[in-house]
Amino acid sequence: MNRCAEAAAVAATVPGAGVGDAGLRPPMVPRQASFFPPPVPNPFIQQTQISGANRLQIFLLGIILLPIRALLIGLILLLAWPFAAISTACCPEKMTQPITGWRRKVSQPALKFLGHAMFFSMGFIVTVKGKAASPLEAPIFVVAPHSTFFDGIACVKAGLPSMVSRNENAQVPLIGSKYFKGLLRALQPVLVSRVDPDSRKTTINEIIKRATSGGEWPQILVFPEGTCTNRSCLITFKPGAFIPGVPVQPILLRYPNKLDTVTWTWQGYTFFQLCVLTFCQPYTKVEVEFLPVQVPSDEEKKDPVLFASRVRNTMANALGIPVTDHTYEDCRLMISAGQLTLPMETGLVEFTKISRKLKLDWDSIRKHLDEYASIASTSKGGRIGIEEFAEYLKLPVSDVLRQLFALFDRNHDGSIDFREYVIGLAVLCNPANTEEIIQVAFKLFDVDEDGYITEEEFSTILQASLGVPDLNVSGLFKEIAQGDSISYEEFKSFALKHPEYAKIFTTYLDLQTCHVFSLPEEVRAAPSVASNKVSPENHEESTSDKKDD
């Protein structure tokens, strides 16, 4: 039996649940605007449609352009290597000092020229707007949207600043191999590993050291989104570039082409396919725009997330696109959803927002994804409808189940997606899982007040509240009971492991409260039901005061 099953079964047991005037139903949980779905459902996919005419053009031009451009790129890389080797000669593997003197004066102009030549040979026509700031004006460049490996054009146009790059890039053939590793090292990059837990701290310290060196080190170029998107929005900016509290200059990238052959996302064309498609185009247009330098306020210097958010909004407004709270962790969840045979977009929950507001970490959300997959595996589209919900919970479709379903269905579209599932568990369930609620639930089942719940008591309450006289609840009972009956400790242990039932229970308790307040005032003035004995240790002090129906 799963978590939702127990939630449904126990929550439905409040007297009066599923009966009475629907007008007495308590209001649903308010829908916070901060939890509304993002304006862009999935920024991590790109499905370029190539027409028959385009395919013919690619084939014909590719016969001529592809070999010529591949040859030119190879030649330029070979020419660049000696200059890169000169700039890094006699330098330690891990650079602790910037490249200066004659080596920088010789290598940097040559590498800049070859960088421009390489993108020209690929067929890129670059339009530059604005002007790059000096190292003293803005020690850090932030580039967005990050959508392709061709975004390196921003580095060339910015004057070859140091890049913050994945450590894995040092292993890419022709860039990170032992023959060409100097090409990457010549840029004096800040390498970050997604595997090493200490890498983030080391990277931030290195960025701070370089950004506050007063121009001693080259400027730093950062792609703050941390992963590639389809340019439909700006996802969450990682705070690394904003932690030093120094001025940054935003750089915008646009690819205004009729046929998109550059976008490299988690679902779409591969690296090799995009290279072939791009090299077979007559030309590929790209716009690089340098925005005014953004200087952090005193408050933003203390709060890099606030600084990052303002800069992102500035860039999004200039691009005319929305912002979302997706991040790299959403990509991981998307891949996990695919491995669980769910549609990949199922895993997109805007991880940054959800984790921050609901106090959930990666492991918790990943565990919820497994639970969700076990429910949605039989449904179409990776969403849970009322029928699948009822079948999975092994309960009939009733008013009680519909109310339970509505708690999770935040947009009232008749289905529950993974995002709604995670929010429902965290917002509706966990806060209500208190000792008091557990005691009230136990008292409700313990009809004869002997401190134990028998299967008959358990079945009677469930059948009455669900309005299904022949409902079989033995499976759920056996999940809770260690023997022939359920003790308070067993019930409490079960409740703590499955907190979602507590909120469902209180929701139906509110139904009973609404019913009481709808009665005449003289009836409401009658003595209220006192507390019943709950746990075995209170047996002697407690007295029976339950009313007979």
Side-chain angles (χ1 to χ4, degrees), residues 32 165 212 216 321 326 349 378 408 451-452 486 489 508 511:
Q32 300 180 29
S165 179
T212 57
E216 182 180 351
I321 58 177
H326 293 104
V349 296
T378 59
F408 287 84
Y452 294 91
I486 302 172
E489 290 303 322
Y508 292 111
L511 280 173

Side-chain angles (χ1 to χ4, degrees), residues 189-209:
V190 179
L191 297 178
V192 57
S193 172
R194 288 171 174 169
V195 179
D196 183 4
D198 298 325
S199 179
R200 182 177 182 274
K201 181 179 179 180
T202 303
T203 301
I204 290 175
N205 289 337
E206 185 67 19
I207 292 175
I208 294 174
K209 182 183 79 171

Side-chain angles (χ1 to χ4, degrees), residues 3-4 6-14 404 407-408 424-425 427-441 491-492 494-510:
R3 301 180 69 191
C4 287
E6 293 110 13
V10 181
T13 60
V14 179
L404 168 64
L407 287 175
F408 287 84
L425 289 179
V427 174
L428 305 175
C429 307
N430 292 331
N433 196 39
T434 64
E435 179 81 15
E436 181 182 2
I437 296 301
I438 295 174
Q439 290 179 356
V440 172
F491 190 83
K492 178 181 177 180
F494 177 82
L496 292 175
K497 291 180 181 178
H498 308 281
E500 62 272 16
Y501 96 88
K503 176 60 184 178
I504 311 298
F505 174 78
T506 55
T507 300
Y508 292 111
L509 193 59
D510 290 341

Side-chain angles (χ1 to χ4, degrees), residues 242 245 295-307 310:
F242 307 92
V295 180
S297 64
D298 291 338
E299 185 180 2
E300 289 172 337
K301 290 179 180 179
K302 298 176 183 178
D303 187 355
V305 174
L306 183 64
F307 187 23
R310 179 172 69 83

Side-chain angles (χ1 to χ4, degrees), residues 112-258:
K112 289 179 185 177
F113 172 79
L114 292 173
H116 284 90
M118 184 172 69
F119 279 98
F120 178 78
S121 67
M122 292 178 183
F124 282 94
I125 298 178
V126 185
T127 302
V128 178
K129 299 179 181 179
K131 182 181 179 182
S134 69
L136 293 179
E137 292 174 320
I140 298 176
F141 296 113
V142 288
V143 185
H146 184 27
S147 62
T148 175
F149 45 85
F150 293 122
D151 288 345
I153 189 74
C155 182
V156 174
K157 292 299 180 180
L160 294 187
S162 299
M163 294 180 64
V164 177
S165 179
R166 293 185 309 154
N167 191 49
E168 293 82 354
N169 290 341
Q171 311 304 324
V172 175
L174 296 183
I175 296 178
S177 67
K178 62 181 180 179
Y179 301 107
F180 292 93
K181 194 169 186 177
L183 291 176
L184 184 60
R185 294 185 66 229
L187 297 178
Q188 304 174 81
V190 179
L191 297 178
V192 57
S193 172
R194 288 171 174 169
V195 179
D196 183 4
D198 298 325
S199 179
R200 182 177 182 274
K201 181 179 179 180
T202 303
T203 301
I204 290 175
N205 289 337
E206 185 67 19
I207 292 175
I208 294 174
K209 182 183 79 171
R210 297 190 185 191
T212 57
S213 66
E216 182 180 351
W217 281 89
Q219 290 165 285
I220 301 172
L221 186 143
V222 181
F223 293 96
E225 293 174 295
T227 190
C228 289
T229 69
N230 56 19
R231 299 189 300 280
S232 60
C233 65
L234 292 185
I235 64 174
T236 301
F237 278 12
K238 294 183 179 297
F242 307 92
I243 289 176
V246 298
V248 303
Q249 183 174 32
I251 302 177
L252 306 181
L253 290 176
R254 301 182 181 91
Y255 293 88
N257 300 287
K258 292 183 178 180

Side-chain angles (χ1 to χ4, degrees), residues 394-466:
K394 299 179 181 178
L395 293 173
V397 176
S398 61
D399 289 341
V400 170
L401 191 67
R402 290 190 181 94
Q403 292 171 25
L404 168 64
F405 186 85
L407 287 175
F408 287 84
D409 181 14
R410 299 181 62 81
N411 60 359
H412 309 296
D413 65 350
S415 64
I416 301 172
D417 62 21
F418 178 56
R419 192 173 188 275
E420 292 172 325
Y421 181 79
V422 172
I423 294 173
L425 289 179
V427 174
L428 305 175
C429 307
N430 292 331
N433 196 39
T434 64
E435 179 81 15
E436 181 182 2
I437 296 301
I438 295 174
Q439 290 179 356
V440 172
F442 186 86
K443 286 192 296 183
L444 179 65
F445 282 102
D446 185 16
V447 177
D448 60 7
E449 304 177 0
D450 64 349
Y452 294 91
I453 302 172
T454 64
E455 184 171 353
E456 183 180 358
E457 291 173 328
F458 192 71
S459 177
T460 298
I461 297 296
L462 281 182
Q463 290 174 354
S465 21
L466 290 175

